[in-house]
Amino acid sequence: MEGVDYLADERKKASFDVEAMKIVWAGSRDAFEVSDRISKLVANDPAFRKDNRTMLPRKELFKNTLRKAAHAWKRILELRLSEEEASKLRFYVDEPAYTDLHWGMFIPAIKGQGTDEQQQKWLPLAYKMQIIGCYAQTELGHGSNVQGLETTATFDPHTDEFVIHSPTLTSSKWWPGGLGKVSTHAVVYARLITDGKDHGVHAFIVQLRGLEDHRPRPGITIGDIGMKFGNGAYNTMDNGVLRFDHVRVPRSQMLMRVSQVTREGKYNQSDVPRQLVYGTMVYVRQQIVADASCALSRAVCIATRYSAVRRQFGSWNGGPETQIIDFKTQQSRLFPLLASAYAFRFVGEWLKWLYMDVTQRLQSDDFSTLPEAHACTAGLKSLTTSATADGIEECRKLCGGHGYLCSSGLPELFAVYVPACTYEGDNIVLLLQVARFLMKTVSQLGTGKQPVGTIAYMGRIEHLMQCRCNVQSAEEWLKPGQILEAFEARAARMSVSCARNLSKFGNPEEGFLELSADLVEAAVAHCQLIVVSKFIEKLQQDIPGEGVKQQLEALCGIYYLSLLHKHQGDFLGASYLTPKQAAFANDQLRALYTKVRPNAIALVDSFNYTDHFLGSILGRYDGNVYPELYKAAWKDPLNESDIPDGYHDYIRPLLKQELRSARL
């Protein structure tokens, strides 16, 4: 029970208003109140229990997920929850399910790409869940290269239908969540062919299963792709395989907001620009960045609490050992992740604003910010998901051996989160897209076209190529202007260096392939600058609550100085810094660890996560870790009897030297 005292004492050390920080984390008082109420509603409902999830066989696990999804929908209807509240409820249930794809991909695809008439037909059915949809894009042979998809949709003018077909094994749809066993409909991406001409990839609504018997429709082969990484984890989701054998759908089921096929089979582009499709992409990616801050903050909450509970070494005269959170090696690994969770939260908030801004501009036919918004969201999706996946694994290691137990919550959290690095765009491919945008921006410098938004710093390229750091003490690394110049100079010089090297190649594409590793590093530098600048911008706002702003300033300092320390080769190699200035940065970073240390528990309490949502014995709010770990061990099915199944067949013959006569 010692752990309870550790965390009670830790909470007394806080030098800021925790309740005020909870509101900063949530984004607003309203958002906090909704989140707080819904998370407690889920935590207090035994139907949403999840502590046995990692022990269930797959079929039982999946059926249990179906039960929870149905119960969640029942509660949403009974309580008449708003769309925001319903979304929060699904989030706090904390179990990947077909509903994620129905609400997160199927409905947005119809809203983004369907005509008004198509939306009026399909959305009411989807909103009431009278149909359940998924998003069937990825194929066995193609994921990142969407233009390489092989499924075909050939128009038949005699019947006014499209014939959807899988011409090869690799054209099988593979991975869509909700497809394997649940979805009745899908938005299917296929190559549109009219009169022998291929018009590229378009979207079609296809019914997959009967609405009465749930059996696959004629011509459709469909199933689950099998077990995935981890216990429980993403195995609650029916990721599916789908093949079409000349399946006919009415012409009206091609999503036709951007392009249409007429009754005669003529292909037309509408007045609505193709760029509108990017609006949906920006929405999905900003949501992924927001999810990154949630997943990383969960792992950091667990690791921080357990680091305060766990004691090892350093006992003097028979006194208690040292809390491992007091070791600088622990702080230097843990606190940058704590700072990253807050940094990703704030850049996620800004991306939400960017999405609203892009949407408004699109509605008035202003596409000027779209390339920058597209590159920015692609890069931030890549940066935050990679850092979060690595961060969750680091948190597991920060918890020592016990972090490897399923009851720590970290193995399952990692297994659920890690596919974010490859879905909705492979992270390296996305960084290469950012790099292309950076190279184009560099090539246009001096032409009179001013860089805008997150790339505006390139407009000061002459200064950034020549300036030198003038820091003369550790404390000067706390000046926001100094930090921004350092990260801008690094990003600009890396981009210009890549552009110069590219210009040496006769064939630019050949150069791009050869220099792709350098280009990825330049893209990372640009994306890290965005996160740093948005954290600094957040701190320029009015932030109420005693001591809240000071703690956020310390976290911001840890975020940018830990990046500077990790990537100091970039800053030194670009001749912006001297080794002595890099050493000053490291001195200041250590000082900030000391400043954050007494507030660490309060900073993770500010996430306001229930024990149910954390799903971790190591991360319990009350710190009562060891008795609960001991108790949990005895719940494992293996401990239902002292003598294991198989003893008489395999262990006893071994002990009694009777293996030759044993039936193995």
Side-chain angles (χ1 to χ4, degrees):
M1 293 295 288
E2 281 180 289
V4 178
D5 295 329
Y6 296 152
L7 295 192
D9 289 345
E10 287 288 335
R11 291 185 174 105
K12 287 174 194 165
K13 296 176 187 174
S15 60
F16 70 96
D17 182 343
V18 177
E19 295 307 309
M21 187 69 89
K22 286 179 181 179
I23 290 164
V24 172
W25 176 263
S28 69
R29 182 170 289 281
D30 284 349
F32 168 74
E33 286 172 357
V34 169
S35 198
D36 188 56
R37 176 164 45 83
I38 300 294
S39 66
K40 287 171 180 167
L41 177 79
V42 172
N44 294 326
D45 189 335
F48 293 127
R49 175 193 169 191
K50 62 182 187 181
D51 59 331
N52 62 341
R53 189 163 57 192
T54 56
M55 298 180 217
L56 297 176
R58 176 87 198 277
K59 284 177 84 168
E60 217 176 304
L61 177 74
F62 184 64
K63 187 176 180 182
N64 197 37
T65 303
L66 298 183
R67 178 187 60 74
K68 286 185 189 178
H71 183 68
W73 185 241
K74 182 174 173 232
R75 296 300 285 144
I76 287 165
L77 295 176
E78 286 170 351
L79 298 169
R80 298 185 176 181
L81 298 186
S82 67
E83 205 169 317
E84 182 197 3
E85 290 168 327
S87 172
K88 280 287 176 201
L89 187 135
R90 285 189 290 272
F91 172 75
Y92 283 116
V93 169
D94 186 40
E95 195 150 313
Y98 65 89
T99 45
D100 300 349
L101 285 302
H102 177 81
W103 295 100
M105 297 294 285
F106 180 70
I107 287 174
I110 295 171
K111 284 165 81 172
Q113 297 172 58
T115 61
D116 290 346
E117 195 180 337
Q118 288 174 320
Q119 291 186 46
Q120 285 160 16
K121 176 179 177 180
W122 295 102
L123 290 178
L125 296 170
Y127 282 137
K128 291 177 187 168
M129 296 203 78
Q130 289 175 296
I131 62 172
I132 297 169
C134 65
Y135 186 86
Q137 178 174 293
T138 301
E139 294 178 354
L140 188 56
H142 287 88
S144 300
N145 181 14
V146 176
Q147 296 312 311
L149 295 178
E150 298 176 86
T151 304
T152 56
T154 307
F155 182 64
D156 181 349
H158 302 296
T159 59
D160 196 26
E161 293 171 317
F162 288 105
V163 181
I164 315 284
H165 185 59
S166 307
T168 62
L169 180 70
T170 49
S171 69
S172 307
K173 295 297 176 188
W174 190 275
W175 274 115
L179 172 67
K181 293 294 168 186
V182 179
S183 293
T184 61
H185 291 69
V187 171
V188 173
Y189 286 80
R191 312 194 72 78
L192 171 61
I193 298 167
T194 62
D195 199 21
K197 188 178 178 193
D198 186 332
H199 298 281
V201 175
H202 289 67
F204 303 81
I205 295 179
V206 182
Q207 185 172 344
L208 307 174
R209 293 178 168 97
L211 292 175
E212 295 302 323
D213 61 3
H214 205 63
R215 292 190 181 283
R217 299 281 294 249
I220 284 176
T221 302
I222 193 167
D224 186 274
I225 61 171
M227 283 289 284
K228 299 168 289 281
F229 184 49
N231 287 32
Y234 224 84
N235 291 300
T236 57
M237 181 73 80
D238 56 327
N239 296 92
V241 52
L242 169 64
R243 287 183 60 73
F244 298 100
D245 183 1
H246 300 92
V247 173
R248 290 179 172 268
V249 298
R251 180 172 56 89
S252 60
Q253 287 178 214
M254 171 183 161
L255 291 178
M256 295 202 196
R257 188 175 183 191
V258 174
S259 47
Q260 300 86 30
V261 172
T262 66
R263 174 67 188 87
E264 297 72 37
K266 187 166 181 277
Y267 178 75
N268 292 327
Q269 293 276 13
S270 73
D271 297 336
V272 178
R274 288 195 71 80
Q275 288 100 321
L276 267 182
V277 178
Y278 287 124
T280 308
M281 202 181 288
V282 172
Y283 168 76
V284 170
R285 286 182 181 157
Q286 64 91 17
Q287 190 56 54
I288 289 173
V289 172
D291 290 345
S293 79
C294 293
L296 183 55
S297 59
R298 280 175 74 174
V300 166
C301 184
I302 294 165
T304 303
R305 286 178 178 167
Y306 185 54
S307 294
V309 168
R310 187 182 180 209
R311 291 175 178 265
Q312 298 286 303
F313 308 112
S315 172
W316 301 104
N317 301 321
E321 293 176 278
T322 304
Q323 289 168 276
I324 63 165
I325 198 169
D326 286 328
F327 290 115
K328 276 286 186 267
T329 47
Q330 193 81 354
Q331 293 175 11
S332 66
R333 294 161 66 198
L334 178 60
F335 291 170
L337 296 176
L338 173 60
S340 297
Y342 276 89
F344 296 169
R345 190 70 167 187
F346 299 143
V347 83
E349 275 179 15
W350 172 75
L351 276 180
K352 197 173 275 189
W353 169 85
L354 181 74
Y355 170 66
M356 309 287 272
D357 182 63
V358 166
T359 305
Q360 286 171 358
R361 288 172 183 270
L362 288 177
Q363 285 165 356
S364 53
D365 291 342
D366 174 2
F367 308 112
S368 60
T369 61
L370 205 54
E372 186 258 338
H374 180 247
C376 172
T377 51
L380 290 173
K381 182 270 174 184
S382 174
L383 183 82
T384 58
T385 55
S386 290
T388 296
D390 292 346
I392 295 169
E393 168 61 5
E394 187 67 10
C395 285
R396 182 190 68 76
K397 291 187 280 194
L398 283 162
C399 291
H402 295 337
Y404 194 62
L405 283 168
C406 284
S407 57
S408 78
L410 291 165
E412 197 179 9
L413 179 58
F414 179 72
V416 164
Y417 189 76
V418 79
C421 296
T422 42
Y423 66 54
E424 284 309 302
D426 175 89
N427 281 357
I428 298 299
V429 173
L430 291 178
L431 288 173
L432 289 170
Q433 288 178 15
V434 176
R436 281 191 187 277
F437 172 70
L438 291 172
M439 294 305 99
K440 187 176 179 183
T441 302
V442 171
S443 72
Q444 290 173 341
L445 294 174
T447 63
K449 187 173 181 183
Q450 274 300 104
V452 296
T454 56
I455 202 77
Y457 67 96
M458 287 282 195
R460 291 177 282 108
I461 195 73
E462 286 182 17
H463 168 72
L464 293 174
M465 292 301 290
Q466 293 169 357
C467 62
R468 294 288 181 271
C469 179
N470 55 17
V471 162
Q472 292 179 339
S473 69
E475 293 73 25
E476 286 180 43
W477 276 117
L478 296 177
K479 293 178 180 174
Q482 178 59 67
I483 284 302
L484 285 174
E485 183 185 85
F487 277 82
E488 285 174 354
R490 170 206 181 204
R493 292 176 196 193
M494 289 175 77
S495 287
V496 168
S497 173
C498 284
R500 284 175 179 159
N501 289 333
L502 269 178
S503 68
K504 297 172 187 172
F505 287 81
N507 180 339
E509 284 306 308
E510 191 182 307
F512 202 87
L513 286 171
E514 182 64 27
L515 299 172
S516 56
D518 295 345
L519 287 158
V520 161
E521 288 179 7
V524 167
H526 170 67
C527 295
Q528 287 175 343
L529 165 62
I530 296 173
V531 182
V532 168
S533 65
K534 295 309 163 190
F535 205 150
I536 289 171
E537 276 178 31
K538 177 74 178 179
L539 294 173
Q540 288 162 354
Q541 298 172 13
D542 179 38
I543 301 175
E546 185 188 347
V548 169
K549 194 167 197 171
Q550 288 83 344
Q551 284 308 307
L552 291 175
E553 284 169 347
L555 289 172
C556 184
I558 287 174
Y559 182 71
Y560 62 65
L561 289 175
S562 63
L563 285 179
L564 193 149
H565 179 66
K566 183 178 178 183
H567 299 282
Q568 63 181 283
D570 292 349
F571 293 90
L572 292 165
S575 302
Y576 178 77
L577 280 187
T578 65
K580 188 173 183 182
Q581 289 167 331
F584 282 147
N586 208 26
D587 292 343
Q588 186 55 55
L589 183 57
R590 280 198 310 277
L592 288 173
Y593 292 155
T594 303
K595 186 175 181 180
V596 163
R597 163 62 191 96
N599 294 284
I601 291 297
L603 283 165
V604 299
D605 284 352
S606 300
F607 303 146
N608 200 43
Y609 293 145
T610 63
D611 280 351
H612 172 273
F613 181 65
L614 274 184
S616 168
I617 291 176
L618 301 188
R620 289 172 61 95
Y621 183 84
D622 64 7
N624 189 25
V625 170
Y626 297 121
E628 293 299 325
L629 271 182
Y630 185 80
K631 200 191 300 181
W634 297 105
K635 293 179 183 173
D636 192 284
L638 211 52
N639 286 327
E640 285 170 4
S641 65
D642 288 336
I643 298 171
D645 288 350
Y647 166 77
H648 291 288
D649 294 327
Y650 310 118
I651 299 176
R652 184 181 166 81
L654 188 74
L655 293 169
K656 298 296 180 186
Q657 308 290 292
E658 294 170 355
L659 277 179
R660 286 186 180 181
S661 58
R663 296 176 61 192
L664 297 178

